[in-house]
Amino acid sequence: MRQWHYTQEGQQFGPVADSDFVKLFDSGPLEPATMVWTEELDKWTVARQVDGLVPYAPKPHPPIPPPQPA
C-alpha cells in the first residue's frame, strides 16, 4: 500500500495510507493544488497531476479559438 506525504502551510505531513489520503481530499483539508509525494514519484508533485488521486479535479480546458472572419 502506498504511503503519501503532503505539504500544507509550509509544513510536511505523512505518511498517510492511500485510502485515508484520498479521504483528505473528499473532506476538504487538501486541495488539487496540494504538493504530494510517494515513493512512486520522482519528486514532489501537484496532486491534480497524479493520475487518479483527485478524480474530480477539473482538467484545464483548451483555449477558446479566436473568432473566424466573416
Side-chain angles (χ1 to χ4, degrees), residues 1-60:
M1 181 181 296
R2 289 187 289 194
Q3 297 288 312
W4 290 93
H5 300 262
Y6 65 95
T7 61
Q8 193 171 41
E9 297 181 12
Q11 292 187 323
Q12 181 178 327
F13 298 92
V16 179
D18 210 23
S19 57
D20 294 331
F21 193 59
V22 172
K23 291 176 187 175
L24 291 175
F25 288 97
D26 290 339
S27 62
L30 300 184
E31 301 176 350
T34 300
M35 295 298 292
V36 300
W37 180 82
T38 189
E39 290 182 6
E40 296 172 8
L41 299 173
D42 293 333
K43 59 184 179 179
W44 286 86
T45 305
V46 176
R48 72 173 152 260
Q49 294 177 343
V50 178
D51 289 338
L53 182 59
V54 188
Y56 53 85
K59 295 186 179 182

